[in-house]
Structures are given as structure tokens and as C-alpha cells.
């Protein structure tokens, strides 16, 4: 019976160990990225809740003057953070979510991008003096985000249910947030009441989803770390 040389056996063990370490390092990197995306979603949600609380307080048009500049900057920050969170959610469940997840990510990012660009355009110098068409273009783009974003969030929620990577309760909260956001702009009511409330509820949904994403990433890292020690 032939015996493999000791050197060959040691080399094979080294290859196995190296492969395992590479896989663990890759898992750690994905988990860290997922955790950062979760924190981005939480931060974006907190900013949305703050904006909703600001808009519901009795005041003149909050989008005018220095307050409007600060509010617009906060809004754009929220859109950027939520986009990062949406990418993290998709990566977390990409293997099981299928085309529904891809479509949800694309449409959600489109809606968030419209919100970012629209509010940014509203703050351009001289936009109000540029004529009716220019003055109404950017607000229409920003408001269009509220028609697009709920569709993307509904698809992401459906992908969550399909992938079964996050608790179903989180998916249902996400879907409920999308429906509330859509109804707030479709049902005739006082926009100075319904819109801020919808934004606050929307922010709360992203906070929950981001917190779960961050928690899962910490758990994945804790399972991997002892093996790499």
C-alpha cells in the first residue's frame, strides 16, 4: 500500500486551511459591509423621522430661506443613506430574492434618486425666477419619488418574504410602510398632516430593517471570528 509523502500531506492541509481562511475573510468582509449598510438605513430613517417632526410643526413654508436649505440638505442626506441601506438589504438576500429583489432595488433607488435630485434642483439659485416650467420641474421630480418609491419598497418587501433571510415581520413592516407612503399621497387629506406622518412612519420602517441588517451582520461576524483566531 502506497503512502503519500509527508510533504504532500502537509501541503494539502495548508491548501485547505488557506481556502477556509479566505472564505472566512470573505464572509467577514460581506458582514461588515452589510452592517454598515444597516447603520446607513437606520441613520437615514432617523433623519426622515426628524424631517417629519419638523414639517408637522406649525410654521410658514419650511422649504424657504435658511431653514429650507437645511431641510433640503437633510432630505438629500436621508435619500443617500437609504439608498446605501437598500443596497445592503439586496445583497443580504440576493441569492434567494431573484428578479423581484433586483427590480425592487432598482425601482427603490430610482425613487430615492428622484427625491435627491428633485430637492437639489429646487435649491438651485434663481430657480423661482426662471419661469413657471423650470420652477415646477424640480418639485414634480421630487414628488414623483413618492409614486415610485412605494413600488420599489413593495417589491423589496415581497423579496424579503420570498428569500426568508430576515424575519417575516420585518418584511410586513416594510410593506406596510410602502402602503402608508402611497396612501398619504393618494387619499385627499391635509398634506401638512398626512405627509409628515407618512415620512415619520417610512423612516421607522427603514430603522427596523436597518437594525435587523446590522444585528445579523454582528451575529455572522461573531460566528466567524472564533474560527479565525
Amino acid at each position: 500500500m502506497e503512502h503519500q509523502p509527508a510533504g504532500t500531506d502537509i501541503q494539502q492541509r495548508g491548501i485547505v486551511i488557506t481556502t477556509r481562511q479566505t472564505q472566512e475573510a470573505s464572509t467577514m468582509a460581506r458582514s461588515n459591509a452589510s452592517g454598515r449598510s444597516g447603520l446607513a438605513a437606520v441613520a437615514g430613517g432617523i433623519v426622515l423621522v426628524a424631517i417629519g417632526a419638523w414639517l408637522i410643526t406649525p410654521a410658514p413654508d419650511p422649504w424657504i430661506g435658511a431653514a429650507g436649505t437645511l431641510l433640503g440638505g437633510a432630505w438629500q442626506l436621508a435619500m443617500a443613506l437609504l439608498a446605501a441601506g437598500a443596497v445592503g438589504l439586496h445583497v443580504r438576500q440576493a441569492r434567494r430574492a431573484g428578479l423581484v429583489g433586483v427590480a425592487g432595488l432598482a425601482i427603490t433607488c430610482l425613487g430615492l434618486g428622484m427625491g435627491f435630485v428633485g430637492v437639489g434642483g429646487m435649491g438651485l439659485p434663481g430657480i423661482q425666477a426662471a419661469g413657471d416650467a423650470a420652477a415646477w420641474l424640480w418639485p414634480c421630480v421630487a414628488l414623483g419619488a413618492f409614486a415610485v418609491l412605494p413600488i420599489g419598497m413593495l417589491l423589496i418587501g415581497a423579496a424579503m418574504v420570498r428569500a426568508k433571510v430576515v424575519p417575516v415581520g420585518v418584511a410586513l413592516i416594510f410593506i406596510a410602510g410602502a402602503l402608508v407612503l402611497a396612501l398619504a399621497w393618494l387619499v385627499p387629506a391635509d398634506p401638512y398632516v398626512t405627509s409628515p406622518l407618512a415620512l415619520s412612519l417610512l423612516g421607522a420602517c427603514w430603522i427596523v430593517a436597518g437594525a435587523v441588517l446590522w444585528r445579523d451582520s454582528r451575529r455572522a461576524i461573531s460566528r466567524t471570528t472564533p474560527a479565525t483566531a
Side-chain angles (χ1 to χ4, degrees):
M1 183 177 179
E2 295 184 1
H3 294 278
Q4 290 184 342
T8 302
D9 184 57
I10 293 174
Q11 184 179 16
Q12 290 177 344
R13 290 183 181 180
I15 293 173
V16 171
I17 293 173
T18 301
T19 302
R20 183 181 302 169
Q21 290 176 340
T22 301
Q23 292 174 344
E24 291 171 349
S26 177
T27 300
M28 288 281 288
R30 288 197 303 269
S31 297
N32 282 323
S34 178
R36 286 192 290 268
S37 294
L39 291 178
V42 171
I46 291 173
V47 174
L48 272 188
V49 171
I51 291 174
W54 186 352
L55 291 177
I56 205 170
T57 55
D61 191 341
W63 295 96
I64 296 178
T69 301
L70 180 59
L71 187 59
W75 176 266
Q76 289 184 303
L77 175 62
M79 297 297 100
L81 289 171
L82 294 184
V87 172
L89 282 172
H90 175 70
V91 171
R92 179 73 177 84
Q93 59 189 14
R95 294 181 180 179
R96 300 183 181 180
L99 292 178
V100 176
V102 175
L105 173 66
I107 296 174
T108 297
C109 287
L110 173 62
L112 294 171
M114 290 173 64
F116 185 96
V117 173
V119 170
M122 289 166 60
L124 291 175
I127 191 66
Q128 298 299 327
D132 291 341
W136 280 100
L137 172 62
W138 299 114
C140 287
V141 172
L143 290 175
F146 293 96
V148 176
L149 185 57
I151 299 173
M153 288 184 60
L154 283 172
L155 290 174
I156 289 180
M160 288 181 184
V161 174
R162 176 179 179 178
K164 298 179 180 179
V165 173
V166 299
V168 175
V170 176
L172 296 179
I173 291 174
F174 212 72
I175 292 172
L179 293 175
V180 168
L181 180 62
L183 290 174
W185 294 91
L186 293 175
V187 176
D190 185 354
Y192 291 98
V193 176
T194 56
S195 300
L197 289 176
L199 287 178
S200 296
L201 290 173
L202 178 67
C205 294
W206 282 97
I207 290 172
V208 171
V212 170
L213 192 62
W214 180 83
R215 181 203 64 186
D216 289 349
S217 72
R218 295 301 94 187
R219 287 180 176 177
I221 290 174
S222 66
R223 288 194 299 266
T224 305
T225 301
T228 59

